[in-house]
């Protein structure tokens, strides 16, 4: 007898094909039959009449490695139907953290992982200690982390010896099960790497069958060169390249989505293994310090704090921003576009913009920004509305652009419910399957394909992402008329609605809309 039969639903299989009526039988964690009007017996029958049945959704770009150890139930994600998260992105990973370097890494990651306790660990020990969670997890090792382990926060090319150390640490992580390497060339210390350093690491990836994902060097005034740099990695090494959260930031760059999509599509037509992902929002989130010119971060957090206390440094920063716009984000209409998400020293300021704060304090907004960074020791996190709706819609509407929330798995209570994080942490996939489909941006089979079958293909996963006999039983049952996000910028900690059942590795995690407490997810190791 099968363990589970999902009966009577309208099945969209994840391949992009139109839906059909079909029942799904599950046994031993796998899908054992997909057939019209099944007569197979099962211990548990889930009535999916009036609902749609899809593969579990893949969140291809997240930072939930910073919250899953604190919140293994992954509520904000699983309640949208997400069953797999790819973590360790943008060059950030909590491992390896070598003796003598773990403190620098902890200080560096505090603005992204404020509540995560971590210490010295090899990547293999990190994988072994990663807790069972409600979602499956793919781990990547971060380039910033590798650089901090070898060259610290120094603003220079690595030496041959340091590069060899990074290559060795990367190979160790891959052998321990890391799926690949992520980079964050937009900020220190990753931004000090040249193409040669990245290509050398990509050659290690190629030898081990690993993949490369990149938060590219610039998403604003130099975004075209940055996309070209990422594509060149695929061209030079043959390694799969995932361009993270594709966007055009800054008013001077708005309107360029079609051009950017054309560039990537052309590379794909040439046969290069390149994919990209995006979140369907016009607002980004980042450590506040990353809005300032890159020289500010040279030699690490402490050096930065000393610099930003100085009037002459602030004048230089002010002049550079007036000339170039914000680093990474370009020119914004005003500081009202930047709002506090998390501030350790003034948690009550979450939700307020630097326009507001500066007016209230009667100071220049840039001084308010620098004062926050200093008082929070670099840990202030912000939201910045730096994109334009039309670009976001064009990118989201491209059926081959994958879906990554760039957000953490959170919960509405407990340690991860603090601050006012980006609502995309709770709503990205519900928005894509809900509002984006209802607004006509995508058909439902196309929306589901992006975040299931196409994402699995980009990852090289051959037994997930499609509802097919023999595949792992990751399944989402939802009401297409009801699925929606509920979080807002003012009140982000709200679960999405419309998902009734979620099955992970054959076990029911969301049942009748409620979390069962099950944690059947595991770390998916890169196939040898
Ligand atoms: Zn990123």
């Amino acid at each position: 007898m099968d363990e589970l039969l999902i009966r009577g639903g309208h099945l969209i299989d994840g391949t992009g094909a139109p839906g059909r009526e079909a029942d799904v039988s599950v046994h031993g964690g796998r899908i054992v039959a997909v057939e019209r009007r099944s007569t197979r017996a099962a211990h548990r029958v889930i009535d999916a009449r009036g609902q749609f049945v899809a593969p579990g959704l893949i969140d291809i770009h997240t930072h939930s490695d910073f919250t899953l150890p604190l919140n293994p139930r992954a509520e904000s994600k699983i309640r949208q139907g997400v069953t797999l998260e790819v973590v360790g992105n943008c060059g950030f990973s909590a491992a390896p953290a070598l003796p003598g370097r773990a403190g620098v890494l902890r200080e560096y990651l505090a603005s992204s992982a404020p509540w995560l306790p971590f210490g010295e660990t090899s990547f293999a020990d990190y994988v072994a200690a990663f807790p069972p969670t409600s979602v499956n997890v793919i781990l990547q090792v971060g380039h910033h982390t590798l650089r901090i382990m070898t060259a610290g926060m120094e603003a220079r090319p690595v030496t041959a010896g340091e590069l060899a150390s990074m290559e060795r640490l990367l190979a160790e992580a891959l052998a321990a099960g890391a799926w690949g390497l992520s980079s964050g060339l937009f900020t220190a210390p990753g931004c000090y790497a040249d193409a040669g350093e990245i290509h050398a690491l990509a050659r290690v990836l190629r030898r081990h069958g690993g993949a490369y994902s990149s938060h590219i060097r610039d998403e604003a005034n130099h975004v075209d060169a940055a996309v070209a740099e990422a594509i060149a990695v695929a061209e030079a090494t043959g390694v799969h390249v995932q361009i993270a959260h594709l966007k055009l930031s800054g008013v001077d760059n708005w309107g360029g989505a079609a051009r950017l999509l054309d560039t990537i599509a052309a590379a794909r037509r040439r046969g290069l293994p390149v994919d990209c992902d995006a979140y369907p929002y016009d607002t980004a989130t980042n450590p506040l310090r990353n809005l300032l010119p890159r020289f500010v971060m040279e030699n690490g957090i402490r050096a930065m704090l000393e610099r930003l206390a100085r009037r002459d440094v602030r004048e230089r920063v002010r002049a550079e921003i007036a000339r170039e716009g914000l680093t990474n984000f370009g020119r914004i209409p005003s500081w009202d576009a930047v709002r506090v998400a998390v501030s350790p020293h003034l948690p009550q300021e979450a939700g307020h913009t630097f326009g507001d704060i500066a007016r209230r304090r009667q100071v220049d907004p840039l001084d308010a920004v620098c004062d926050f960074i200093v008082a929070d020791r670099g840990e202030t996190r912000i939201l910045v509305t730096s994109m334009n709706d039309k670009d976001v819609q064009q990118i989201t509407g491209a059926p081959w652009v994958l879906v990554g929330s760039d957000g953490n798995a959170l919960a509405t209570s407990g340690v991860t419910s603090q601050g006012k994080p980006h609502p995309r942490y709770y709503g990205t996939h519900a928005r894509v399957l809900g509002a984006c489909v209802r607004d006509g941006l995508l058909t439902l089979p196309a929306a589901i394909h992006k975040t299931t079958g196409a994402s699995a293909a980009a990852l090289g996963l051959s037994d997930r992402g499609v509802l097919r006999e023999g595949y792992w039983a990751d399944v989402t049952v939802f009401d297409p008329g009801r699925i929606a996000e509920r979080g807002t910028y003012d009140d982000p900690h709200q679960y999405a609605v419309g998902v009734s059942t979620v099955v992970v590795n054959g076990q029911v995690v969301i049942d009748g809309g409620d979390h069962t407490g099950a944690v059947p997810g595991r770390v998916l190791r890169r196939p040898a």
Side-chain angles (χ1 to χ4, degrees):
M1 194 185 285
D2 297 333
E3 285 154 9
L4 202 60
L5 173 63
I6 302 169
R7 190 158 66 193
H10 186 80
L11 183 128
I12 298 185
D13 67 7
T15 64
R20 63 187 199 272
E21 307 311 310
D23 301 339
V24 179
S25 297
V26 172
H27 192 74
R30 301 261 183 175
I31 295 168
V32 291
V34 179
E35 55 195 346
R36 209 185 151 96
R37 292 209 192 92
S38 174
T39 53
R40 296 171 70 103
H43 287 291
R44 165 103 201 262
V45 177
I46 291 172
D47 181 359
R49 280 177 298 176
Q51 299 188 78
F52 281 39
V53 180
L57 311 182
I58 296 173
D59 194 342
I60 202 161
H61 182 103
T62 93
H63 295 280
S64 291
D65 39 339
F66 299 150
T67 54
L68 283 172
L70 301 162
N71 174 29
R73 291 158 57 117
E75 282 95 336
S76 69
K77 301 298 183 76
I78 192 95
R79 286 168 180 271
Q80 301 176 68
V82 170
T83 58
L84 169 59
E85 292 203 63
V86 180
V87 308
N89 275 296
C90 302
F92 307 124
S93 65
L98 304 178
R101 301 273 184 171
V104 178
L105 182 64
R106 186 185 308 110
E107 187 177 67
Y108 177 76
L109 289 179
S111 57
S112 300
W115 308 298
L116 185 73
F118 67 91
E120 291 174 12
T121 181
S122 67
F123 203 89
D125 288 343
Y126 174 71
V127 175
F130 206 85
T133 61
S134 291
V135 292
N136 290 312
V137 180
I138 282 178
L139 301 171
Q140 299 173 98
V141 61
H143 173 251
H144 291 308
T145 302
L146 295 184
R147 239 194 182 255
I148 289 170
M149 291 307 118
T150 49
M153 291 293 291
E154 288 177 34
R156 59 169 176 80
V158 287
T159 65
E162 287 163 345
L163 181 58
S165 296
M166 290 172 74
E167 292 174 351
R168 181 177 50 75
L169 290 170
L170 173 59
E172 283 173 14
L174 293 167
W179 209 263
L181 174 76
S182 77
S183 73
L185 303 178
F186 69 112
T187 192
C191 65
Y192 308 130
D194 59 10
E197 177 177 328
I198 297 299
H199 288 207
L201 295 169
R203 285 192 290 273
V204 176
L205 291 170
R206 186 183 52 198
R207 278 200 295 281
H208 291 79
Y212 175 66
S213 69
S214 185
H215 178 152
I216 58 178
R217 204 174 285 275
D218 190 284
E219 297 177 325
N221 305 351
H222 311 285
V223 65
D224 293 270
V227 165
E229 179 182 18
I231 292 171
V233 175
E235 186 125 51
T237 66
V239 162
H240 182 269
V241 172
Q242 182 76 26
I243 297 173
H245 40 61
L246 188 70
K247 66 170 76 79
L248 292 112
S249 214
V251 296
D252 302 327
N253 308 301
W254 288 354
R259 182 188 75 240
L260 223 49
L261 289 167
D262 278 350
T263 301
I264 300 169
R268 289 160 60 87
R269 280 197 301 275
R270 297 207 313 274
L272 295 179
V274 177
D275 278 282
C276 69
D277 54 75
Y279 49 76
Y281 298 84
D282 64 3
T283 295
T285 177
N286 231 268
L288 175 58
R289 66 191 191 222
N290 287 348
L291 273 51
L292 304 186
R294 289 185 179 139
F295 81 87
V296 166
M297 278 271 281
E298 274 171 27
N299 298 318
I301 303 290
R302 266 160 238 188
M304 173 186 77
L305 298 178
E306 278 164 32
R307 270 186 207 111
L308 288 182
R310 280 169 41 196
R311 190 125 297 273
D312 60 318
V313 172
R314 291 189 182 193
E315 287 315 315
R316 184 177 159 195
V317 169
R318 211 184 314 270
E320 284 201 24
I321 289 176
R323 207 168 49 240
E324 302 275 334
L326 302 175
T327 300
N328 297 308
F329 295 95
R331 207 175 302 279
I332 51 169
S334 79
W335 285 99
D336 290 320
V338 180
R339 66 162 74 199
V340 177
V342 176
S343 166
H345 91 292
L346 287 176
Q348 66 275 23
E349 291 287 21
H352 295 279
T353 72
F354 277 100
D356 285 338
I357 293 167
R359 282 186 290 271
R360 195 187 331 125
R361 295 183 175 181
Q362 298 185 303
V363 298
D364 183 274
L366 185 75
D367 284 313
V369 165
C370 293
D371 291 344
F372 261 71
I373 295 174
V374 171
D376 281 333
R377 304 193 58 75
E379 294 180 27
T380 324
R381 219 181 152 77
I382 51 88
L383 306 184
V384 50
T385 304
S386 62
M387 291 166 256
N388 134 320
D389 224 36
K390 186 156 170 268
D391 286 330
V392 174
Q393 289 193 9
Q394 270 182 303
I395 291 170
T396 304
W400 53 274
V401 173
L402 309 176
V403 182
S405 68
D406 196 15
N408 304 348
L410 304 178
T412 57
S413 62
V415 67
T416 64
S417 68
Q418 300 177 63
K420 288 197 192 292
H422 199 301
R424 73 186 190 220
Y425 292 21
Y426 283 85
T428 295
H429 287 76
R431 179 179 278 209
V432 170
L433 265 51
C436 293
V437 170
R438 291 194 285 271
D439 292 348
L441 216 53
L442 289 158
T443 66
L444 192 54
I448 290 176
H449 177 59
K450 274 161 91 81
T451 190
T452 60
S455 293
L459 291 165
L461 278 171
S462 57
D463 54 2
R464 294 184 193 268
V466 176
L467 293 179
R468 188 176 286 161
E469 208 178 300
Y471 279 50
W472 282 98
D474 298 337
V475 188
T476 290
V477 182
F478 67 99
D479 179 341
R482 238 186 105 230
I483 188 168
E485 66 176 324
R486 286 173 59 236
T488 62
Y489 290 104
D490 287 327
D491 194 3
H493 290 288
Q494 300 195 65
Y495 297 129
V497 292
V499 174
S500 63
T501 303
V502 182
V503 176
V504 177
N505 299 334
Q507 288 192 47
V508 179
V509 178
I510 297 295
D511 194 355
D514 291 327
H515 202 296
T516 62
V519 285
R522 55 190 178 79
V523 172
L524 306 185
R525 289 167 187 251
R526 193 183 48 80

